[in-house]
Amino acid sequence: MTRRIALSSCPLCDETAAVPWLTARGFRLVRCAACGHRYATERLPPDELADRYYGEAAADLRARASSEKAARLDEYDALLRRLDPESGGLCARGSDGAVRRVLDVGCNTGELLALLKARGFAVAGVELGAGAAEVAEQRLGVPIAPSLEVLPDEPRFDLITLTHVLEHVADPRALLRSLRRRLRPGGRLLVEVPCADDPLLGLFGGAYRPLCPGDHVSFFDADGLRRVLRAAGCTVRGLSAPTHARDLVYPVLLSSLDSLRALRPRRAGGAGVGAQVRYRGRLRRPLRRLLDGACALLDPLVVRLAARRSAALRGSVLIAIAS
């Protein structure tokens, strides 16, 4: 029997009353009766997630391509300049000429930080996974902290990025408060999370891959993301919900494979994320290159078709800029 950790109240307002939302791979997801935030009532222990679902060979970690991160970084730059002109975008030097400092929380193998370092930023990272942190240290030439608690309080940062991390956290308000204290005056916080109002969720329901049942705790819509940032003392400068071809192709493909696998329960591999397809064979890299190429060709069309949904903050992801 897989161990589980019970979550008895809303991560955003602490309300215990909730109504059913979805059942996803054996996990019950609910909607808070007070604030409407969607969250999981149970999660898998962190050690089990690390060992069974996120452990990757060092060679696979080092071989990750940065093309997707490079595209997202350009998007972050454009969003900062459009939604928050005072931020100066991703300029590596402040108005006084000093090099700007950036912290990536949940930096994984350091792909985003490597791109920011190449732009001239002074970089720092936090990563819980020992294997990924080791690769990041080798790539960046700087130590990677295993938690926020071991980072020195000073100097503070001009930019803190938190991409696809907040949805994993049992107490997102506490994490955001800690990060706010580490921003220098005038600094910015960039948060990216999966969007709970993703239109594909209506197609796949509880089988939708980005739900990651047993791993993700919170499922943010635009109002919920604004609310948690404000509860942490942050000022929301802008919100965006872009949709790209890669945000459609990979979730549709993987959700479909998961659904087919679920038809053979003996091979399902357990509940939650344990029931999801995890392929790491020799064909993984060429398949990824092929799909990435297809996504690049389809992207202009997808962006145009999804423009209305994105403007309504119902895209595949939510990106918030806060101070």
Side-chain angles (χ1 to χ4, degrees):
M1 181 69 177
T2 303
R3 293 181 295 134
R4 300 191 185 191
I5 298 172
L7 304 166
S8 58
S9 63
C10 174
L12 267 57
C13 72
D14 300 319
E15 172 65 49
T16 56
V19 295
W21 175 44
L22 287 173
T23 298
R25 305 294 183 198
F27 284 79
R28 191 168 66 96
L29 314 182
V30 298
R31 189 187 295 266
C32 175
C35 73
H37 179 61
R38 286 164 274 191
Y39 64 97
T41 59
E42 293 179 309
R43 68 181 304 189
L44 294 170
D47 59 336
E48 186 166 332
L49 286 166
D51 292 342
R52 294 185 57 189
Y53 308 126
Y54 293 111
E56 287 189 63
D60 289 337
L61 290 170
R62 293 190 187 95
R64 287 183 180 171
S66 296
S67 56
E68 182 179 333
K69 287 291 186 183
R72 195 63 105 195
L73 187 67
D74 289 339
E75 189 159 45
Y76 294 158
D77 193 6
L79 285 173
L80 281 162
R81 294 178 188 278
R82 176 171 62 87
L83 299 175
D84 187 14
E86 295 179 11
S87 69
L90 291 179
C91 180
R93 290 188 179 273
S95 57
D96 59 356
V99 174
R100 300 173 77 188
R101 291 173 47 80
V102 59
L103 170 68
D104 188 19
V105 180
C107 69
N108 206 281
T109 60
E111 295 165 89
L112 183 62
L113 287 176
L115 293 166
L116 287 164
K117 184 178 180 180
R119 289 192 177 208
F121 284 86
V123 299
V126 174
E127 174 54 45
L128 181 63
E134 182 179 356
V135 174
E137 289 181 345
Q138 294 168 355
R139 172 178 280 157
L140 300 166
V142 299
I144 300 298
S147 68
L148 276 176
E149 287 71 25
V150 304
L151 274 180
D153 292 334
E154 297 290 344
R156 290 190 282 176
F157 296 92
D158 301 274
L159 174 66
I160 297 177
T161 55
L162 190 72
T163 64
H164 292 268
V165 172
L166 198 64
E167 65 271 19
H168 298 261
V169 179
D171 190 349
R173 294 167 296 180
L175 174 60
L176 290 171
R177 289 187 190 109
S178 178
L179 294 179
R180 181 177 59 83
R181 291 193 294 269
R182 294 175 182 276
L183 279 175
R184 71 158 183 80
R188 294 295 185 264
L189 176 65
L190 188 151
V191 180
E192 180 177 333
V193 294
C195 181
D197 286 332
D198 184 343
L200 286 176
L201 186 62
L203 177 63
F204 288 99
Y208 191 39
R209 171 60 77 100
L211 288 172
C212 289
D215 185 5
H216 290 183
V217 173
S218 283
F219 307 92
F220 291 98
D221 57 17
D223 287 343
L225 187 54
R226 287 192 189 97
R227 191 182 308 118
V228 73
L229 284 163
R230 289 168 179 162
C234 298
T235 299
V236 179
R237 299 280 178 170
L239 215 61
S240 179
T243 297
H244 293 280
R246 63 179 178 268
D247 303 318
L248 301 180
V249 170
Y250 284 103
V252 167
L253 176 61
L254 292 170
S255 300
S256 299
L257 290 173
D258 289 343
S259 296
L260 289 173
R261 192 186 192 202
L263 298 175
R264 304 178 66 183
R266 291 182 182 179
R267 297 174 61 91
V273 290
Q276 296 178 342
V277 173
R278 307 283 293 186
Y279 178 64
R280 291 173 178 155
R282 288 181 297 175
L283 293 178
R284 180 187 182 185
R285 292 177 200 170
L287 282 172
R288 182 66 188 252
R289 285 195 294 269
L290 178 65
L291 289 170
D292 283 348
C295 289
L297 291 173
L298 291 170
D299 201 53
L301 176 62
V302 169
V303 170
R304 285 198 298 273
L305 292 176
R308 186 174 297 178
R309 287 278 188 175
S310 297
L313 299 179
R314 293 175 178 270
S316 299
V317 299
L318 286 167
I319 302 173
I321 311 296
S323 62

Short mmCIF file of all heavy atoms in Angstrom, two decimals, residues 280-323:
data_model
loop_
_atom_site.label_atom_id
_atom_site.label_comp_id
_atom_site.label_asym_id
_atom_site.label_seq_id
_atom_site.Cartn_x
_atom_site.Cartn_y
_atom_site.Cartn_z
N ARG A 280 12.13 6.19 -20.47
CA ARG A 280 13.49 6.72 -20.45
C ARG A 280 14.43 5.82 -21.26
O ARG A 280 15.59 5.65 -20.93
CB ARG A 280 14.00 6.84 -19.01
CG ARG A 280 13.27 7.94 -18.25
CD ARG A 280 13.64 7.96 -16.80
NE ARG A 280 12.95 9.07 -16.12
CZ ARG A 280 12.67 9.09 -14.85
NH1 ARG A 280 12.99 8.08 -14.08
NH2 ARG A 280 12.05 10.12 -14.31
N GLY A 281 13.93 5.22 -22.34
CA GLY A 281 14.73 4.34 -23.16
C GLY A 281 15.61 5.08 -24.15
O GLY A 281 15.68 6.32 -24.16
N ARG A 282 16.27 4.32 -25.02
CA ARG A 282 17.22 4.90 -25.97
C ARG A 282 16.56 5.81 -27.00
O ARG A 282 17.20 6.70 -27.54
CB ARG A 282 17.98 3.79 -26.68
CG ARG A 282 19.00 3.06 -25.80
CD ARG A 282 19.72 2.01 -26.59
NE ARG A 282 18.80 0.98 -27.06
CZ ARG A 282 19.17 -0.02 -27.86
NH1 ARG A 282 20.42 -0.11 -28.28
NH2 ARG A 282 18.28 -0.92 -28.24
N LEU A 283 15.28 5.57 -27.26
CA LEU A 283 14.59 6.38 -28.26
C LEU A 283 14.05 7.69 -27.71
O LEU A 283 13.49 8.49 -28.45
CB LEU A 283 13.44 5.57 -28.87
CG LEU A 283 13.83 4.36 -29.71
CD1 LEU A 283 12.58 3.63 -30.18
CD2 LEU A 283 14.68 4.78 -30.89
N ARG A 284 14.23 7.91 -26.42
CA ARG A 284 13.64 9.10 -25.80
C ARG A 284 14.17 10.38 -26.44
O ARG A 284 13.38 11.27 -26.80
CB ARG A 284 13.95 9.11 -24.30
CG ARG A 284 13.38 10.32 -23.58
CD ARG A 284 13.85 10.36 -22.14
NE ARG A 284 13.27 11.49 -21.42
CZ ARG A 284 13.60 11.82 -20.19
NH1 ARG A 284 14.48 11.10 -19.53
NH2 ARG A 284 13.04 12.85 -19.59
N ARG A 285 15.47 10.49 -26.62
CA ARG A 285 16.04 11.74 -27.15
C ARG A 285 15.63 11.99 -28.60
O ARG A 285 15.21 13.10 -28.93
CB ARG A 285 17.56 11.72 -26.99
CG ARG A 285 17.99 11.79 -25.54
CD ARG A 285 19.49 11.70 -25.41
NE ARG A 285 19.86 11.31 -24.06
CZ ARG A 285 21.10 10.96 -23.70
NH1 ARG A 285 22.07 10.96 -24.60
NH2 ARG A 285 21.36 10.62 -22.45
N PRO A 286 15.76 10.99 -29.51
CA PRO A 286 15.31 11.27 -30.89
C PRO A 286 13.81 11.57 -30.98
O PRO A 286 13.40 12.41 -31.78
CB PRO A 286 15.68 9.99 -31.66
CG PRO A 286 16.00 8.96 -30.64
CD PRO A 286 16.45 9.69 -29.43
N LEU A 287 13.00 10.90 -30.15
CA LEU A 287 11.57 11.20 -30.15
C LEU A 287 11.33 12.63 -29.68
O LEU A 287 10.49 13.36 -30.24
CB LEU A 287 10.83 10.21 -29.25
CG LEU A 287 10.56 8.82 -29.81
CD1 LEU A 287 10.00 7.90 -28.73
CD2 LEU A 287 9.61 8.89 -30.99
N ARG A 288 12.06 13.03 -28.66
CA ARG A 288 11.90 14.39 -28.14
C ARG A 288 12.31 15.42 -29.19
O ARG A 288 11.64 16.44 -29.38
CB ARG A 288 12.74 14.56 -26.87
CG ARG A 288 12.62 15.93 -26.20
CD ARG A 288 11.22 16.14 -25.67
NE ARG A 288 11.03 17.50 -25.19
CZ ARG A 288 10.93 17.84 -23.91
NH1 ARG A 288 11.02 16.91 -22.98
NH2 ARG A 288 10.73 19.08 -23.55
N ARG A 289 13.40 15.15 -29.91
CA ARG A 289 13.83 16.08 -30.96
C ARG A 289 12.78 16.19 -32.06
O ARG A 289 12.51 17.27 -32.58
CB ARG A 289 15.18 15.64 -31.53
CG ARG A 289 16.37 15.93 -30.62
CD ARG A 289 17.68 15.83 -31.38
NE ARG A 289 17.94 14.47 -31.82
CZ ARG A 289 18.62 13.57 -31.14
NH1 ARG A 289 19.12 13.90 -29.95
NH2 ARG A 289 18.84 12.37 -31.62
N LEU A 290 12.20 15.03 -32.43
CA LEU A 290 11.17 15.03 -33.46
C LEU A 290 9.96 15.84 -33.03
O LEU A 290 9.43 16.67 -33.79
CB LEU A 290 10.76 13.58 -33.77
CG LEU A 290 9.65 13.39 -34.81
CD1 LEU A 290 10.12 13.88 -36.18
CD2 LEU A 290 9.24 11.92 -34.87
N LEU A 291 9.49 15.61 -31.80
CA LEU A 291 8.33 16.33 -31.30
C LEU A 291 8.62 17.82 -31.10
O LEU A 291 7.76 18.67 -31.37
CB LEU A 291 7.85 15.71 -29.99
CG LEU A 291 7.21 14.33 -30.11
CD1 LEU A 291 7.01 13.70 -28.74
CD2 LEU A 291 5.88 14.41 -30.85
N ASP A 292 9.82 18.14 -30.64
CA ASP A 292 10.19 19.55 -30.48
C ASP A 292 10.17 20.26 -31.83
O ASP A 292 9.73 21.42 -31.94
CB ASP A 292 11.58 19.68 -29.86
CG ASP A 292 11.57 19.41 -28.35
OD1 ASP A 292 10.48 19.37 -27.77
OD2 ASP A 292 12.67 19.25 -27.78
N GLY A 293 10.64 19.58 -32.87
CA GLY A 293 10.63 20.16 -34.21
C GLY A 293 9.21 20.41 -34.69
O GLY A 293 8.91 21.46 -35.28
N ALA A 294 8.32 19.44 -34.43
CA ALA A 294 6.92 19.60 -34.82
C ALA A 294 6.28 20.76 -34.06
O ALA A 294 5.51 21.54 -34.64
CB ALA A 294 6.16 18.30 -34.56
N CYS A 295 6.60 20.88 -32.77
CA CYS A 295 6.04 21.97 -31.97
C CYS A 295 6.50 23.33 -32.50
O CYS A 295 5.71 24.29 -32.53
CB CYS A 295 6.46 21.82 -30.51
SG CYS A 295 5.65 20.44 -29.65
N ALA A 296 7.76 23.42 -32.91
CA ALA A 296 8.27 24.69 -33.44
C ALA A 296 7.52 25.10 -34.70
O ALA A 296 7.22 26.29 -34.90
CB ALA A 296 9.76 24.56 -33.72
N LEU A 297 7.18 24.13 -35.55
CA LEU A 297 6.44 24.43 -36.77
C LEU A 297 5.00 24.84 -36.48
O LEU A 297 4.44 25.73 -37.14
CB LEU A 297 6.45 23.21 -37.70
CG LEU A 297 7.80 22.84 -38.33
CD1 LEU A 297 7.69 21.52 -39.08
CD2 LEU A 297 8.25 23.95 -39.28
N LEU A 298 4.40 24.19 -35.50
CA LEU A 298 2.99 24.45 -35.17
C LEU A 298 2.79 25.69 -34.30
O LEU A 298 1.67 26.20 -34.22
CB LEU A 298 2.40 23.24 -34.44
CG LEU A 298 2.22 21.96 -35.25
CD1 LEU A 298 1.85 20.80 -34.31
CD2 LEU A 298 1.13 22.14 -36.30
N ASP A 299 3.85 26.15 -33.66
CA ASP A 299 3.68 27.17 -32.61
C ASP A 299 2.99 28.45 -33.08
O ASP A 299 2.08 28.93 -32.39
CB ASP A 299 5.04 27.50 -31.98
CG ASP A 299 4.87 28.12 -30.60
OD1 ASP A 299 4.18 27.51 -29.76
OD2 ASP A 299 5.41 29.22 -30.37
N PRO A 300 3.36 29.05 -34.20
CA PRO A 300 2.68 30.29 -34.60
C PRO A 300 1.17 30.12 -34.75
O PRO A 300 0.40 30.98 -34.35
CB PRO A 300 3.35 30.64 -35.94
CG PRO A 300 4.69 29.99 -35.88
CD PRO A 300 4.47 28.71 -35.12
N LEU A 301 0.75 28.97 -35.31
CA LEU A 301 -0.67 28.71 -35.48
C LEU A 301 -1.36 28.54 -34.12
O LEU A 301 -2.44 29.09 -33.88
CB LEU A 301 -0.87 27.46 -36.33
CG LEU A 301 -2.32 26.98 -36.52
CD1 LEU A 301 -3.14 28.07 -37.24
CD2 LEU A 301 -2.35 25.68 -37.29
N VAL A 302 -0.73 27.78 -33.22
CA VAL A 302 -1.32 27.54 -31.90
C VAL A 302 -1.46 28.84 -31.12
O VAL A 302 -2.50 29.10 -30.50
CB VAL A 302 -0.48 26.52 -31.11
CG1 VAL A 302 -0.92 26.45 -29.66
CG2 VAL A 302 -0.57 25.15 -31.75
N VAL A 303 -0.44 29.69 -31.16
CA VAL A 303 -0.49 30.96 -30.43
C VAL A 303 -1.65 31.82 -30.93
O VAL A 303 -2.38 32.43 -30.13
CB VAL A 303 0.85 31.71 -30.57
CG1 VAL A 303 0.73 33.14 -30.03
CG2 VAL A 303 1.96 30.96 -29.83
N ARG A 304 -1.85 31.85 -32.25
CA ARG A 304 -2.97 32.64 -32.79
C ARG A 304 -4.32 32.05 -32.38
O ARG A 304 -5.22 32.79 -31.98
CB ARG A 304 -2.87 32.70 -34.33
CG ARG A 304 -1.79 33.62 -34.85
CD ARG A 304 -2.03 33.98 -36.29
NE ARG A 304 -1.99 32.81 -37.17
CZ ARG A 304 -0.90 32.31 -37.72
NH1 ARG A 304 0.28 32.90 -37.49
NH2 ARG A 304 -0.95 31.26 -38.51
N LEU A 305 -4.46 30.74 -32.48
CA LEU A 305 -5.73 30.10 -32.16
C LEU A 305 -6.07 30.21 -30.67
O LEU A 305 -7.25 30.26 -30.30
CB LEU A 305 -5.71 28.63 -32.58
CG LEU A 305 -5.67 28.35 -34.09
CD1 LEU A 305 -5.54 26.85 -34.35
CD2 LEU A 305 -6.93 28.89 -34.77
N ALA A 306 -5.03 30.24 -29.83
CA ALA A 306 -5.24 30.27 -28.37
C ALA A 306 -5.26 31.68 -27.80
O ALA A 306 -5.39 31.85 -26.58
CB ALA A 306 -4.15 29.46 -27.67
N ALA A 307 -5.17 32.69 -28.66
CA ALA A 307 -5.02 34.07 -28.18
C ALA A 307 -6.18 34.49 -27.29
O ALA A 307 -5.98 35.13 -26.25
CB ALA A 307 -4.88 35.02 -29.36
N ARG A 308 -7.42 34.14 -27.66
CA ARG A 308 -8.57 34.56 -26.87
C ARG A 308 -8.57 33.91 -25.49
O ARG A 308 -8.83 34.56 -24.48
CB ARG A 308 -9.86 34.23 -27.62
CG ARG A 308 -11.11 34.76 -26.94
CD ARG A 308 -12.35 34.54 -27.79
NE ARG A 308 -12.26 35.26 -29.04
CZ ARG A 308 -13.19 35.21 -29.99
NH1 ARG A 308 -14.28 34.46 -29.81
NH2 ARG A 308 -13.06 35.90 -31.11
N ARG A 309 -8.28 32.60 -25.46
CA ARG A 309 -8.21 31.90 -24.17
C ARG A 309 -7.10 32.48 -23.30
O ARG A 309 -7.25 32.65 -22.10
CB ARG A 309 -7.96 30.42 -24.41
CG ARG A 309 -9.15 29.66 -24.96
CD ARG A 309 -10.09 29.28 -23.84
NE ARG A 309 -11.15 28.40 -24.29
CZ ARG A 309 -12.05 27.85 -23.49
NH1 ARG A 309 -12.00 28.11 -22.20
NH2 ARG A 309 -12.98 27.06 -23.95
N SER A 310 -5.96 32.74 -23.93
CA SER A 310 -4.83 33.28 -23.18
C SER A 310 -5.15 34.64 -22.59
O SER A 310 -4.79 34.95 -21.45
CB SER A 310 -3.59 33.36 -24.09
OG SER A 310 -3.20 32.07 -24.53
N ALA A 311 -5.85 35.47 -23.36
CA ALA A 311 -6.22 36.80 -22.87
C ALA A 311 -7.18 36.70 -21.69
O ALA A 311 -7.19 37.57 -20.82
CB ALA A 311 -6.85 37.61 -24.00
N ALA A 312 -7.97 35.63 -21.64
CA ALA A 312 -8.90 35.42 -20.52
C ALA A 312 -8.23 34.69 -19.36
O ALA A 312 -8.91 34.28 -18.41
CB ALA A 312 -10.11 34.62 -21.01
N LEU A 313 -6.90 34.54 -19.43
CA LEU A 313 -6.11 33.85 -18.41
C LEU A 313 -6.56 32.41 -18.23
O LEU A 313 -6.64 31.88 -17.11
CB LEU A 313 -6.16 34.61 -17.08
CG LEU A 313 -5.61 36.05 -17.13
CD1 LEU A 313 -5.73 36.72 -15.78
CD2 LEU A 313 -4.15 36.07 -17.60
N ARG A 314 -6.83 31.75 -19.36
CA ARG A 314 -7.21 30.35 -19.35
C ARG A 314 -6.32 29.56 -20.31
O ARG A 314 -6.79 28.75 -21.11
CB ARG A 314 -8.69 30.19 -19.74
CG ARG A 314 -9.64 30.76 -18.72
CD ARG A 314 -11.10 30.70 -19.17
NE ARG A 314 -12.00 31.22 -18.16
CZ ARG A 314 -12.56 30.50 -17.21
NH1 ARG A 314 -12.33 29.21 -17.13
NH2 ARG A 314 -13.36 31.05 -16.32
N GLY A 315 -5.04 29.83 -20.24
CA GLY A 315 -4.08 29.11 -21.07
C GLY A 315 -3.57 27.86 -20.38
O GLY A 315 -4.16 27.36 -19.41
N SER A 316 -2.44 27.35 -20.85
CA SER A 316 -1.87 26.14 -20.28
C SER A 316 -1.12 26.40 -18.97
O SER A 316 -1.08 25.55 -18.09
CB SER A 316 -0.92 25.49 -21.28
OG SER A 316 -1.62 25.13 -22.46
N VAL A 317 -0.52 27.57 -18.87
CA VAL A 317 0.20 27.94 -17.66
C VAL A 317 -0.18 29.36 -17.26
O VAL A 317 -0.70 30.13 -18.08
CB VAL A 317 1.74 27.86 -17.84
CG1 VAL A 317 2.17 26.45 -18.18
CG2 VAL A 317 2.22 28.85 -18.90
N LEU A 318 0.09 29.69 -16.01
CA LEU A 318 -0.07 31.05 -15.51
C LEU A 318 1.30 31.57 -15.11
O LEU A 318 2.08 30.88 -14.44
CB LEU A 318 -0.98 31.10 -14.30
CG LEU A 318 -2.48 30.90 -14.55
CD1 LEU A 318 -3.19 30.65 -13.22
CD2 LEU A 318 -3.07 32.11 -15.26
N ILE A 319 1.60 32.79 -15.53
CA ILE A 319 2.86 33.45 -15.15
C ILE A 319 2.52 34.76 -14.48
O ILE A 319 1.82 35.61 -15.06
CB ILE A 319 3.76 33.70 -16.38
CG1 ILE A 319 4.07 32.38 -17.10
CG2 ILE A 319 5.06 34.38 -15.95
CD1 ILE A 319 4.82 32.56 -18.41
N ALA A 320 2.99 34.91 -13.26
CA ALA A 320 2.74 36.14 -12.49
C ALA A 320 4.04 36.89 -12.28
O ALA A 320 5.09 36.29 -12.01
CB ALA A 320 2.10 35.81 -11.14
N ILE A 321 3.96 38.21 -12.39
CA ILE A 321 5.07 39.10 -12.04
C ILE A 321 4.65 39.87 -10.79
O ILE A 321 3.57 40.49 -10.77
CB ILE A 321 5.37 40.09 -13.16
CG1 ILE A 321 5.50 39.40 -14.53
CG2 ILE A 321 6.63 40.90 -12.83
CD1 ILE A 321 6.63 38.44 -14.64
N ALA A 322 5.44 39.79 -9.74
CA ALA A 322 5.08 40.44 -8.48
C ALA A 322 6.29 41.14 -7.88
O ALA A 322 7.44 40.87 -8.23
CB ALA A 322 4.53 39.41 -7.49
N SER A 323 6.00 42.06 -6.96
CA SER A 323 7.07 42.77 -6.25
C SER A 323 6.74 42.81 -4.77
O SER A 323 5.62 42.45 -4.37
CB SER A 323 7.24 44.19 -6.82
OG SER A 323 6.05 44.93 -6.64
#
